[in-house]
Amino acid sequence: MSTSTTSVSVAELRRRVRAVEEVKARTREFAAANALATREAATAAAKAKEDAEVAAREAAAAALRLFDNDAELVAQLIGATAEELERDAKPVTAARAKEVIEELRVRAERPRPVRRARKASAAVTTPSDSAPDSVLEGGLADAG
């Protein structure tokens, strides 16, 4: 009787060992996949950061050119120091700054898309149309 109990126990132990080995293998696969995905995400984030830094430097250079290199004025407008602004704009070539300015001009000349209000949103805006009349009748118009 002890022989059959021992053989069942050995079989059960082997099954459990295989199950543990399978979990270990799956854990390793998940770890490798997680490491790969994390590295790819970090690479993409680093690329996006680099692209954003280049765009910020180019925007600073374009703004300085558009404001006749008045670093103090541009710095006040964007909430930065003049030194920081000049440092950021310095590596940008004049040709690239001109390209950025031209891109901005094209965007500025493009007509804005006309948004048509849906019936539901038109009904919502109707009560606010009467608000300026009440302001003119009772408040701000009398203040002047």
Side-chain angles (χ1 to χ4, degrees):
M1 187 154 138
S2 68
T3 315
S4 64
T5 307
T6 306
S7 65
V8 171
S9 296
V10 169
E12 178 63 20
L13 285 175
R14 287 182 181 159
R15 187 194 66 73
R16 288 181 183 179
V17 167
R18 279 194 302 273
V20 167
E21 292 300 322
E22 288 174 9
V23 169
K24 285 182 181 178
R26 283 192 4 228
T27 303
R28 289 181 190 128
E29 289 173 8
F30 284 138
N34 186 37
L36 179 61
T38 305
R39 284 181 56 116
E40 289 173 352
T43 301
K47 175 74 171 119
K49 180 179 185 257
E50 182 180 321
D51 291 347
E53 288 173 348
V54 168
R57 287 192 300 270
E58 291 174 349
L64 282 173
R65 288 184 69 88
L66 287 169
F67 284 91
D68 297 324
N69 289 320
D70 188 345
E72 292 295 327
L73 174 62
V74 175
Q76 281 182 333
L77 291 172
I78 65 171
T81 65
E83 296 80 22
E84 180 183 1
L85 185 65
E86 289 172 340
R87 184 184 66 237
D88 287 348
K90 189 174 184 177
V92 179
T93 64
R96 180 59 190 145
K98 287 180 182 178
E99 288 174 5
V100 171
I101 291 169
E102 187 57 35
E103 291 169 6
L104 293 171
R105 284 190 179 127
V106 168
R107 279 181 50 197
E109 291 172 357
R110 196 174 342 165
R112 291 186 178 185
V114 177
R115 295 183 181 163
R116 295 184 182 170
R118 295 184 301 192
K119 291 180 182 180
S121 63
V124 171
T125 58
T126 303
S128 67
D129 291 343
S130 63
D133 294 336
S134 62
V135 170
L136 289 175
E137 291 171 4
L140 297 176
D142 295 339

